Amino acid sequence: MIHPVILCGGSGTRLWPTSRKAYPKQFARLVGDQSLFQMTLQRFSGPGFAAPLVMTSDDFRFMATEQSADIGLSDAWVVIEPTARDTAPAILSAALLLKDTPDALMLVAPSDHVIGDLPSFLDAVAQGEKAARQGALVTFGVTPDRAETGYGYLELPEAPKDGDAQRLNSFREKPDAETAQSMLEAGNYLWNAGIFLFRVSDILAAFETHAPELMSPCRDAVGQGEEDLGFFRLGSAYDNAKAISFDYAIMEKAQDVMAVPLDSAWSDLGSWESLWQAAEPDERGVATSGVVTALDCTNSYLRSEEDSMHLVGLGLDNTVAVAMRDAVLVADKSRTQDVKAIVGALRQAKVAQADDYPRFHRPWGWYETLCLGERFQVKRIMVKPGGVLSLQSHHHRSEHWIVVAGTAEVTIGEEVQLLSENQSVYIPLGAVHRMANPGKLPMYLIEVQTGSYLGEDDIVRYEDIYDRT
């Protein structure tokens, strides 16, 4: 069995505003009807694959389990990293969790990539498996079709042949345009896809040799780890691990490294331009998503994330336009690698849209603000079947709840009542209350808040099934 290890972190800045710190790109439906995370899980499911091990953060643990369950893969093992420490500590911790099966293979992959030809990819994995079972550390590279400056490169001793594993000469950093063109012409370079395959015992030995300083904090973090609501939470010793990438810590130092070429369509969706390419533009070079009309446009990508917002492009060329309810990006397509700098500028100016998403996801469902004014706020709330909000009270606001779909179980003090569609209830200031969905369908309600302070930190929690404080 191959054990997929899915790296599911990231701050989501390069595809802003669709991807943000609160809701990074792996959970968004950027191409097709599934999120990139769901597509990754399905890629590594079926015969020959064990249940996936997902390395993620506390913020994303419920998103990971919910999206896994939505595609019928509820057996995913979700491991929570207490702090972000880059890919090397994450991969080492996963290996330590699998150390009782030293001959098992680990297939490590990011959760936010697109791979177009699945059979070709699985053929490449099969080639890599042969080398990995002989003790090699295997990496996968994509045959380049252009002089790309946004990717790292793998240097092979000669041009790849027949998809066989070849010994790797070196890793190369992201090049400038001239160097990228020379690499493309040389024919013995691959884009670094960030996907790895090796035996558990071999990667543990590599860490002992090349990054021994990571062993103690990660081993202690696994030893301190404990089950928590179906997740496995690594211990606080993880905070002491050095933040370093797997390439730097291990792959660039190890000797027995093999590379397998991927001939299938691949993208890390690292910019809006790469998403435009993945969206298969029409004969005029135009790709669209959502409620969009493009008139006399060329070489452009237009995307609307809001059904009520019709995005119209007129006479655009080489342009990316992305419209959301709370933010709009309009950029020259050749500058989309610089979107990360925009997010930095917004953070410095303390603009909420830099990181916050207009829809706030919670373990019980989500909520979004429809209208906000002085001393009032109107929200739309969705509670998934079986979802239960915390038993809580507020110091500064009262609330009205109006159910618009489904059934709500409402607790106010000692009284519990069921509300159906078009029924409402008033929550006085200071009252201890709770909302739950006892039904089998999502429940939607409108919440009207009034008071002197409407911040999310005006919550006193008494009970919470998700162990939030």
Side-chain angles (χ1 to χ4, degrees), residues 34-102:
Q34 293 184 338
S35 72
L36 301 180
F37 173 64
Q38 289 173 321
M39 293 166 66
T40 301
L41 289 178
Q42 289 198 321
R43 193 177 301 135
F44 303 131
S45 63
F49 289 105
L53 190 160
V54 179
M55 301 295 297
T56 192
S57 69
D58 199 59
D59 291 339
F60 305 141
R61 66 194 192 281
F62 291 108
M63 292 187 201
T65 54
E66 181 176 342
Q67 290 202 357
S68 301
D70 285 347
I71 58 172
L73 296 176
S74 55
D75 59 347
W77 187 15
V78 178
V79 178
I80 302 171
E81 302 171 71
T83 50
R85 285 294 179 262
D86 215 326
T87 52
I91 293 171
L92 172 55
S93 297
L96 289 167
L97 288 167
L98 297 170
K99 64 181 176 58
D100 290 339
T101 54

Side-chain angles (χ1 to χ4, degrees), residues 175-454:
D176 58 29
E178 183 178 351
T179 304
Q181 183 61 39
S182 67
M183 289 176 169
L184 180 66
E185 294 171 356
N188 63 317
Y189 289 87
L190 303 172
W191 291 335
N192 185 359
I195 303 172
F196 309 99
L197 181 65
F198 30 68
R199 290 186 305 203
V200 173
S201 58
D202 294 324
I203 197 56
L204 289 175
F207 272 101
E208 289 278 13
T209 301
H210 302 295
E213 71 279 4
L214 294 177
M215 293 300 298
S216 179
C218 290
R219 186 182 289 118
D220 290 346
V222 170
Q224 296 168 353
E226 56 185 6
E227 294 291 334
D228 178 13
L229 294 176
F231 309 106
F232 185 82
R233 188 180 295 273
L234 295 173
S236 61
Y238 194 79
D239 298 350
N240 300 323
K242 179 182 178 181
I244 185 172
S245 76
F246 183 64
D247 280 352
Y248 286 145
I250 301 299
M251 298 301 283
E252 293 186 7
K253 300 175 183 177
Q255 299 300 311
D256 195 9
V257 177
M258 305 289 283
V260 176
L262 296 176
D263 290 326
S264 59
W266 168 89
S267 175
D268 72 343
L269 296 186
S271 69
W272 283 113
E273 183 174 18
S274 62
L275 188 58
W276 166 77
Q277 292 166 346
E280 300 180 353
D282 63 18
E283 66 279 1
R284 295 178 62 85
V286 176
T288 64
S289 176
V291 187
V292 170
T293 298
L295 300 173
D296 297 328
C297 295
T298 55
N299 302 316
S300 295
Y301 182 68
L302 281 72
R303 181 184 185 93
S304 174
E305 295 276 357
E306 184 70 28
D307 290 342
S308 62
M309 183 178 294
H310 196 121
L311 175 62
V312 178
L314 175 61
L316 300 177
D317 179 58
N318 205 49
T319 300
V320 168
V322 182
M324 298 189 67
R325 184 193 321 145
D326 66 336
V328 176
L329 171 70
V330 181
D332 186 301
K333 186 156 60 67
S334 65
R335 297 287 307 278
T336 57
Q337 290 283 356
D338 299 329
V339 169
K340 187 175 182 178
I342 293 175
V343 177
L346 293 175
R347 285 174 178 165
Q348 188 171 9
K350 300 187 184 305
V351 176
Q353 287 91 329
D355 294 316
D356 291 343
Y357 205 72
R359 178 172 289 178
F360 293 82
H361 292 264
R362 295 292 183 264
W364 43 259
W366 52 258
Y367 72 87
E368 57 190 2
T369 296
L370 302 179
C371 184
L372 176 63
E374 188 175 353
R375 296 185 62 88
F376 80 91
Q377 180 171 208
V378 181
K379 291 181 177 180
R380 182 166 68 134
I381 298 175
M382 187 281 286
V383 183
K384 62 188 180 183
V388 181
L389 280 70
S390 59
L391 186 68
Q392 59 185 255
S393 65
H394 309 295
H395 291 304
H396 302 287
R397 70 175 184 255
S398 59
E399 298 172 345
H400 282 87
W401 293 345
I402 305 99
V403 178
V404 294
T407 300
E409 181 184 87
V410 177
T411 300
I412 305 175
E414 300 296 323
E415 181 183 359
V416 180
Q417 56 184 305
L418 291 178
L419 300 180
S420 58
E421 183 176 325
N422 206 34
Q423 292 185 311
S424 62
V425 67
Y426 173 63
I427 314 296
L429 178 72
V432 177
H433 61 281
R434 178 169 16 218
M435 174 199 314
N437 179 2
K440 296 183 179 180
L441 297 174
M443 182 268 288
Y444 294 85
L445 62 81
I446 301 298
E447 177 181 88
V448 181
Q449 302 176 353
T450 56
S452 59
Y453 180 73
L454 307 173

